[in-house]
Amino acid sequence: MIIRQDNKMADLIHMNYLLISVINRFGIDLGFRDKTVFEVCREHHIDVRFFLEIVNAFHDKDYFPDEDLQDFSIRLIVDYLAKTHRYYLDEKIPEIEQLIDEMVNTCFNQTDNLNMLQKFFKEYKEELAHHTKREDEVVFPYAIHVEKAFTRGKADPDLKNQMNGYSITDYINEHDNIEEKLFDLKNIIIKYLPPPKNRALCNKVLSELFNLEKDMNDHSRIEEKVLVPKVIVMEKQLRKQDN
Amino acid sequence: MPKLSILIAEKSYLIRKGLVLILAEFPQVGNIVETDNEEAFISLVNKNNFQILFLNPSFIRSGKFHTTFEKIPSPRAPVLIGIISREDNKKSQIKFAETIGFDENKSHLLKKIENLILRSSGYQPEEEGTSELSEREKNILRHIALGFTNKEIGEKLYISAHTVITHRKNITRKLGIKSVSGLTVYAILNKIVGMDEIRL
Ligand SMILES: [Fe+2]
Ligand SMILES: [Fe+2]
């Protein structure tokens, strides 16, 4: 189903409870009563078309927005993506890290030697931090820079240089898959760990990993399918003016 | 075995979604691409390597289909499945390897699709059952965990780097683990390498 502005916010969560974390990232908390998406967005000063775009893309990975729905600014997209990075690094990852510590210490025998799982996850955390840092510090500012020039109708020399040295196409070519290690970790837990003493805890770790993976898939999709195409169009226009 | 890449060329959203839903349940299926227009279809077929192509022939209006399709060299050509009723198929100009109709019952349809996928993915019953690593693979895995590159492993074991890569692909497929650190965790868990021998 396609989510529309007159849908009840509560119904969205009933339909797909993983949307809670998406909605939270917009600064919206639970307790919507019977308010519609439109009403909640207005209350929080959120661009409702952008909100719809994001929740629909999350809910249905084949969702293709209508052209006219895509005219919100790059700044909005980048803000949302950066917030998602913070959500991973400041909330989700520490939470899962703690669960894994707990799992290793209480679910298995010391002799099982599972502290390499902790090391594995720590390494993953560093990889993720590196990935998001590059986007936050290089890619996103560049995208905003391009948008500014585009609105102004002219690229300053500084940006021209940048566009020649590093364009959004380079980013997309080197954009790596941050879910790969999560996938591995899931399989290690599902297939290869000795039977745990505390089943519930193990299951919890697993379901957190599944949810995070889904969330990250969606995140990368927005980077690649929403942000990048917009920047490419603007880069093209700016280059044309040059000649 | 690499996962199957499938193209669905069909105007009806209802039918496309239904097919996607059924196909996605097979672990052998990787990428599923949908298209609802002829232009996009032609460029998709030209640019990509699909193993299976579901095609509703009513979809093709111009004569371009044959010219495009016949240009694909035969080892690359996908298996053609018609989304078409038995009756219409008799009149169809395109030769389909198999057809699926709208009026088929559930078990019949699912059986057809399952057979198709098993055949296309080069399924061999004896081999599929063993996800156990061979001694050779274990040895290679051990070297991966120890941090050696493909080239170094090749030199140590007197095989080409290319062979090492093939082994690595098989190891990853058998275990469902892609990253080096994931493989290392597996190697330690299974005592293929000692915890003290490596630094993660
Ligand atoms: Fe990101
Ligand atoms: Fe990213």
Side-chain angles (χ1 to χ4, degrees):
Chain A
M1 108 170 210
I2 294 179
I3 301 160
R4 304 191 187 282
Q5 62 175 13
D6 42 4
N7 289 131
K8 296 248 162 73
M9 199 63 131
D11 290 342
L12 260 59
I13 310 294
H14 279 297
M15 181 180 70
N16 182 348
Y17 77 96
L18 292 175
L19 281 171
I20 294 174
S21 56
V22 178
I23 288 173
N24 285 164
R25 261 172 250 154
F26 277 94
I28 304 173
D29 291 308
L30 296 175
F32 329 107
R33 296 184 179 275
D34 278 322
K35 284 178 206 146
T36 63
V37 168
F38 179 81
E39 288 164 337
V40 174
C41 282
R42 195 183 44 193
E43 250 171 46
H44 287 81
H45 309 288
I46 296 162
D47 184 326
V48 67
R49 285 170 316 154
F50 179 64
F51 179 86
L52 287 171
E53 190 76 351
I54 296 294
V55 288
N56 275 309
F58 185 90
H59 178 61
D60 174 6
K61 73 177 173 46
D62 297 320
Y63 172 74
F64 285 115
D66 296 336
E67 287 276 320
D68 60 321
L69 272 179
Q70 273 196 309
D71 62 356
F72 42 78
S73 75
I74 283 185
R75 177 170 284 283
L76 269 180
I77 306 173
V78 161
D79 270 357
Y80 174 78
L81 291 171
K83 250 187 224 150
T84 314
H85 288 168
R86 298 267 51 96
Y87 166 76
Y88 296 152
L89 291 173
D90 299 345
E91 290 181 43
K92 237 38 229 180
I93 295 289
E95 212 178 295
I96 296 177
E97 194 172 28
Q98 209 187 344
L99 281 173
I100 290 181
D101 284 348
E102 221 182 303
M103 180 178 82
V104 167
N105 293 329
T106 65
C107 287
F108 302 97
N109 297 320
Q110 284 308 308
T111 50
D112 287 330
N113 241 339
L114 292 183
N115 28 18
M116 75 244 180
L117 278 185
Q118 289 157 296
K119 281 189 195 142
F120 178 90
F121 197 73
K122 208 170 153 219
E123 197 186 281
Y124 174 66
K125 189 169 85 174
E126 279 155 19
E127 204 176 86
L128 182 68
H130 179 79
H131 181 110
T132 54
K133 187 168 182 232
R134 175 151 176 87
E135 289 173 347
D136 288 335
E137 290 178 1
V138 181
V139 186
F140 296 169
Y142 171 75
I144 286 179
H145 205 153
V146 169
E147 177 173 59
K148 271 191 192 146
F150 181 80
T151 345
R152 224 183 311 120
K154 195 172 164 40
D156 51 70
D158 194 31
L159 180 65
K160 274 183 204 158
N161 263 335
Q162 261 199 53
M163 271 167 51
N164 288 331
Y166 174 89
S167 75
I168 205 75
T169 323
D170 296 313
Y171 160 67
I172 199 74
N173 288 340
E174 67 190 21
H175 193 216
D176 43 40
N177 181 347
I178 42 168
E179 301 96 61
E180 187 175 275
K181 279 214 169 81
L182 286 182
F183 177 86
D184 286 357
L185 186 54
K186 268 168 31 192
N187 247 345
I188 288 170
I189 296 175
I190 296 172
K191 292 168 76 177
Y192 303 117
L193 286 188
K197 284 188 259 177
N198 180 346
R199 219 179 268 157
L201 183 54
C202 236
N203 293 353
K204 191 165 174 200
V205 171
L206 206 51
S207 82
E208 286 288 341
L209 291 175
F210 270 102
N211 293 351
L212 182 62
E213 195 188 15
K214 160 104 178 69
D215 203 297
M216 282 181 170
N217 266 320
D218 171 72
H219 177 80
S220 306
R221 217 162 51 230
I222 292 173
E223 286 173 344
E224 294 177 7
K225 300 272 156 65
V226 182
L227 177 65
V228 168
K230 274 179 97 75
V231 178
I232 287 180
V233 169
M234 291 181 185
E235 277 178 343
K236 255 193 203 144
Q237 281 291 333
L238 288 170
R239 285 208 171 99
K240 234 188 247 163
Q241 284 160 5
D242 248 17
N243 302 324
Chain B
M1 189 53 67
K3 296 208 166 189
L4 293 173
S5 190
I6 300 180
L7 176 63
I8 303 175
E10 161 69 57
K11 275 225 182 316
S12 156
Y13 175 74
L14 191 63
I15 293 170
R16 285 203 315 273
K17 279 295 156 221
L19 257 178
V20 168
L21 218 59
I22 294 171
L23 292 169
E25 288 197 348
F26 290 91
Q28 294 92 337
V29 171
N31 198 18
I32 308 176
V33 182
E34 299 168 46
T35 175
D36 66 355
N37 76 78
E38 190 175 351
E39 295 273 278
F41 166 72
I42 302 225
S43 89
L44 278 167
V45 171
N46 275 325
K47 282 196 210 117
N48 298 274
N49 224 337
F50 296 106
Q51 283 87 46
I52 305 179
L53 167 55
F54 287 92
L55 172 73
N56 186 336
S58 69
F59 185 86
I60 305 295
R61 270 173 290 117
S62 72
K64 280 191 206 146
F65 175 75
H66 281 284
T67 36
T68 314
F69 205 71
E70 275 152 19
K71 258 187 261 159
I72 307 174
S74 62
R76 265 194 54 211
V79 182
L80 251 190
I81 309 300
I83 307 174
I84 187 173
S85 71
R86 228 172 257 277
E87 284 311 299
D88 290 340
N89 190 32
K90 286 178 191 148
K91 288 171 267 163
S92 169
Q93 313 220 335
I94 303 170
K95 276 199 207 75
F96 292 112
E98 176 72 273
T99 62
I100 51 172
F102 310 116
D103 47 359
E104 281 176 69
N105 70 29
K106 181 179 174 185
S107 67
H108 192 210
L109 179 71
L110 291 184
K111 193 74 212 155
K112 255 191 200 174
I113 292 181
E114 186 182 349
N115 283 338
L116 168 72
I117 286 172
L118 293 183
R119 249 185 294 135
S120 308
S121 60
Y123 173 77
Q124 285 144 336
E126 330 72 270
E127 212 186 287
E128 188 73 8
T130 57
S131 55
E132 280 294 305
L133 297 183
S134 68
E135 285 310 310
R136 186 58 155 193
E137 286 163 346
K138 277 186 194 160
N139 196 12
I140 286 169
L141 178 56
R142 180 181 155 75
H143 285 83
I144 295 171
L146 291 172
F148 292 109
T149 64
N150 289 340
K151 192 162 165 278
E152 289 165 338
I153 298 174
E155 278 161 12
K156 277 178 169 287
L157 303 180
Y158 305 105
I159 51 180
S160 72
H162 180 78
T163 311
V164 178
I165 293 171
T166 310
H167 281 301
R168 278 185 89 134
K169 279 189 190 149
N170 287 335
I171 294 170
T172 288
R173 176 181 52 84
K174 284 185 179 176
L175 302 181
I177 302 176
K178 295 176 193 156
S179 66
V180 171
S181 18
L183 290 170
T184 308
V185 170
Y186 175 89
I188 297 170
L189 279 173
N190 290 277
K191 309 208 164 34
I192 292 169
V193 69
M195 184 77 161
D196 42 339
E197 288 179 272
I198 48 142
R199 5 173 238 109
L200 258 179

